[in-house]
Amino acid sequence: MKYVFVTGGVVSSLGKGLTAASLGTLLERRGLRVVLQKFDPYLNVDPGTMSPYQHGEVYVLEDGSETDLDLGHYERFTNSPLTKQNTLTAGRIYEEVLRKERRGDYLGATVQVIPHVTDEIKTRIKAASQHADGDVVITEIGGTTGDIEGLPFLEALRQFALEVGADNALFIHVTLLPYIKAAGELKSKPTQQSVAKLREIGIQPHILVCRSEHPVEDDVRRKLSLFCNVPLEAVIEEQDVAYTIYEVPLTLQRQHMDDLVCKHLKLDLPPADMHAWQVMVNHIIAPRHNVNIAVVGKYIEHQDAYKSIYEALTHAGADNDTGVSLHKIDAEDIEAEGAGKFLAGMDGVLIPGGFGSRGVEGKIQAARFARENNIPYFGLCLGMQIAAIEFARNVCGLPDAHSTEFNPDTPHPVITLLDEQQQVTAKGGTMRLGSYRCKLTADSHALAAYGEDIISERHRHRYEFNGAYRALMVEKGLKIAGLFVEKNLVEIIENPRNPWFVACQFHPEFQSKPDQPHPLFREFIKAALASHGRK
Ligand code: GLN
């Protein structure tokens, strides 16, 4: 078993996750079974309770784990199986250590960061590799070198590397070279200092991945090599990609990063065949058509809050040879100025998931505008609940219809809590989470898209379509296109009067990959393209 550790220096948000995932892409195509894993040094037990403003979207795995969005990159870039074994926070580690202490497992010992916390971390690295039966584990450490909360993780990695031996562990440090405009120079000092911090702990990185907005000239490279004690060829440049993040594996391959990794880990493998990947990237970069898609949400100004949705739209676009021009619209702006101003001329409207009542009325207006103007509509989770509320209010004649999440006293709770959720008060890990099977209805857009009638999709919500209103809505023309049969829960609704109006209670965006676009996203973009052609 081989281990690669990815740390970050200077600042956060450098794209460590993308770098780790891209290396995974290359190693898989050299024939290895890759396992990716993320450690986050914060004290939340998992990111499920965090606002999207803090860390972007919460990514959900098949087994219902609520994770950091980097796991989304891992799933999109590789075939690494991902379960709760592949995601770990300091909070989870401490929870486990304290549980063991209370149980008396430590037999009278003083419980300390070293060895108890570090041992727990090391156990998790081993567990991920054993669980997934991989050849190489790539572990990404969140945060920035020098953070106090990251220290136990780095110490654990140092010990781990010593235990498995030099040929079996490799450290990659992803760092920033800031550009000073006045001097016209890329600066290497912050990187030198961040590597010095790592070496203080006893970790010598083998590869430096340098994020920069400008090309890294030879003199800067030499300086980095000398001061950071890294061979010249192991100073890898990762400039901001011009078009798409899917170029990153190609950029790294051009600089032989995967060769370096294989050489260090004593893996003798043929080169990665990236031909199909390159073709996919070309489709993203130079599509024949274009559509305008409005995403009407609440966290719209936050780049990462709807990450998987934006990626899934890109995948679907590439598959349709279509560029997707995103129009990110704040639902509150629609409340203030009306839907027409923002949505007229759009080829498709997408309403993503969300929590809390801010912006909800704007989203309802957006769904109405799409329905009344025959614009393809795609509702995801809250976007499905919104479509149901809008239909109840404006088609079924129930003007007060609402979700009990937003109005607990509504006379028409078309979206409501199941009995099993009524008593739940704790927020962490208590929603309907993870994969559920859904049976699709004949003659639905959903069935046409998937091409099979039993599908499995990931959930993350507390509220549900209220079955008491099903008959009325169907009578008024709504189609129930998908059901969770065991509990008779409505999972997909469609409006057959519209060219393509599909809204699902689950989150399809989590299962889209660049080379396997999600069927619903693919058909949504196809419908948007047709709508564009009709204009
Ligand atoms: N707030 C809604 C619920 O809890 C929708 C959640 C979501 O969109 N992920 O059911």
Side-chain angles (χ1 to χ4, degrees):
M1 179 60 70
K2 306 287 181 179
Y3 300 90
V4 176
F5 299 111
V6 181
T7 56
V10 183
V11 293
S12 60
S13 305
L14 280 179
K16 288 195 296 287
L18 261 181
T19 305
S22 299
L23 177 63
T25 307
L26 294 171
L27 294 183
E28 268 189 359
R29 279 165 181 70
R30 298 187 76 138
L32 294 171
R33 276 168 309 176
V34 173
V35 180
L36 281 137
Q37 184 181 34
K38 172 99 195 248
F39 288 171
D40 276 306
Y42 47 70
L43 289 178
N44 302 63
V45 171
D46 64 40
T49 53
M50 282 190 214
S51 151
Y53 287 119
Q54 294 285 312
H55 278 267
E57 88 179 356
V58 175
Y59 188 80
V60 182
L61 304 182
E62 225 165 77
D63 68 1
S65 303
E66 297 176 277
T67 75
D68 184 85
L69 57 81
D70 278 319
L71 277 87
H73 289 311
Y74 302 169
E75 278 207 314
R76 289 186 282 270
F77 279 74
T78 73
N79 297 309
S80 167
L82 295 181
T83 68
K84 62 177 191 302
Q85 304 280 354
N86 305 63
T87 165
L88 187 66
T89 67
R92 177 83 70 198
I93 292 284
Y94 283 107
E95 186 188 44
E96 185 59 18
V97 169
L98 295 178
R99 200 175 55 82
K100 288 183 178 166
E101 187 274 335
R102 290 290 86 182
R103 217 168 49 188
D105 288 10
Y106 298 120
L107 297 175
T110 308
V111 180
Q112 294 182 296
V113 171
I114 305 170
H116 300 99
V117 169
T118 47
D119 278 356
E120 194 64 41
I121 296 170
K122 288 190 287 180
T123 309
R124 298 306 185 105
I125 304 171
K126 283 247 161 67
S129 58
Q130 283 157 359
H131 182 76
D133 189 27
D135 301 313
V136 54
V137 181
I138 304 176
T139 305
E140 176 196 348
I141 318 300
T144 308
T145 305
D147 293 347
I148 291 177
E149 58 189 15
L151 279 174
F153 285 92
L154 295 175
E155 168 60 17
L157 300 191
R158 183 196 64 76
Q159 295 174 16
F160 192 92
L162 191 70
E163 286 164 22
V164 298
D167 293 348
N168 298 318
L170 172 109
F171 286 91
I172 297 175
H173 193 53
V174 183
T175 175
L176 176 74
L177 302 182
Y179 182 74
I180 305 297
K181 229 197 218 147
E185 267 180 45
L186 283 178
K187 291 297 189 185
S188 68
K189 188 77 78 194
T191 297
Q192 295 176 34
Q193 284 173 349
S194 139
V195 170
K197 270 256 169 277
L198 274 180
R199 291 167 67 189
E200 217 171 84
I201 301 161
I203 293 174
Q204 167 65 54
H206 303 95
I207 296 176
L208 283 183
V209 174
C210 303
R211 298 280 289 109
S212 78
E213 292 171 13
H214 295 270
V216 185
E217 305 296 347
D218 280 350
D219 56 331
V220 180
R221 246 177 232 273
R222 273 195 295 273
K223 219 187 224 172
L224 285 165
S225 163
L226 183 66
F227 285 99
C228 300
N229 196 28
V230 167
L232 196 57
E233 72 267 22
V235 179
I236 306 283
E237 164 182 324
E238 200 181 283
Q239 256 194 76
D240 294 353
V241 285
Y243 298 102
T244 159
I245 54 170
Y246 300 104
E247 290 172 71
V248 175
L250 303 169
T251 312
L252 298 182
Q253 189 190 34
R254 271 197 293 278
Q255 296 177 73
H256 304 287
M257 175 154 144
D258 54 325
D259 293 336
L260 286 171
V261 171
C262 289
K263 193 167 135 204
H264 179 95
L265 296 175
K266 303 256 174 342
L267 294 165
D268 188 14
L269 296 163
D273 179 359
M274 294 297 285
H275 180 72
W277 192 273
Q278 178 75 62
V279 170
M280 177 268 293
V281 167
N282 293 349
H283 272 291
I284 297 177
I285 294 177
R288 199 130 41 106
H289 315 285
N290 193 70
V291 289
N292 293 301
I293 301 293
V295 176
V296 182
K298 158 170 156 185
Y299 315 107
I300 234 57
E301 72 279 20
H302 196 295
Q303 267 298 95
D304 286 340
Y306 303 119
K307 186 99 204 154
S308 294
I309 295 175
Y310 297 151
E311 292 308 317
L313 287 169
T314 300
H315 309 157
D319 195 69
N320 281 289
D321 212 352
T322 298
V324 177
S325 301
L326 279 178
H327 300 255
K328 302 178 182 176
I329 296 162
D330 191 325
E332 284 179 296
D333 290 341
I334 292 189
E335 286 171 13
E337 299 175 62
K341 172 167 180 207
F342 301 97
L343 302 183
M346 288 292 135
D347 304 315
V349 172
L350 186 152
I351 299 195
F355 297 83
S357 55
R358 192 161 59 77
V360 160
E361 290 302 325
K363 292 177 192 174
I364 294 173
Q365 287 181 45
R368 179 176 195 166
F369 190 88
R371 182 178 55 76
E372 292 182 342
N373 293 280
N374 284 326
I375 303 174
Y377 177 92
F378 195 14
L380 312 179
C381 205
L382 178 63
M384 179 268 209
Q385 300 175 354
I386 293 286
I389 297 167
E390 192 280 319
F391 193 85
R393 285 187 185 179
N394 303 316
V395 181
C396 302
L398 307 173
D400 299 325
H402 221 321
S403 161
T404 53
E405 178 180 5
F406 313 123
N407 177 8
D409 303 320
T410 171
H412 295 293
V414 290
I415 305 293
T416 188
L417 289 180
L418 296 184
D419 286 347
E420 65 205 45
Q421 277 285 347
Q422 298 280 5
Q423 311 310 328
V424 175
T425 51
K427 292 275 182 272
T430 56
M431 286 187 258
R432 170 141 85 106
L433 288 168
S435 287
Y436 286 84
R437 287 203 313 182
C438 170
K439 182 159 174 36
L440 304 180
T441 313
D443 294 328
S444 60
H445 285 298
L447 182 61
Y450 285 94
E452 54 190 342
D453 65 346
I454 303 287
I455 56 153
S456 170
E457 290 283 359
R458 298 181 199 172
H459 290 247
R460 180 173 186 259
H461 55 98
R462 221 177 279 288
Y463 294 80
E464 304 279 354
F465 185 101
N466 185 347
Y469 289 88
R470 194 165 140 186
L472 173 66
M473 296 225 213
V474 169
E475 187 199 316
K476 296 288 182 188
L478 197 74
K479 188 174 189 81
I480 308 298
L483 277 182
F484 174 35
V485 178
E486 286 85 333
K487 291 203 169 161
N488 202 18
L489 288 175
V490 172
E491 304 280 48
I492 308 176
I493 56 174
E494 295 184 4
N495 189 333
R497 296 205 182 107
N498 283 56
W500 202 90
F501 193 109
V502 178
C504 48
Q505 186 58 84
F506 47 78
H507 288 276
E509 68 271 23
F510 296 144
Q511 297 203 92
S512 187
K513 287 175 173 245
D515 44 359
Q516 287 158 253
H518 190 282
L520 291 180
F521 277 88
R522 190 191 66 219
E523 294 308 304
F524 173 55
I525 294 301
K526 196 179 279 174
L529 194 55
S531 154
H532 188 81
R534 281 194 296 271
K535 284 189 186 123

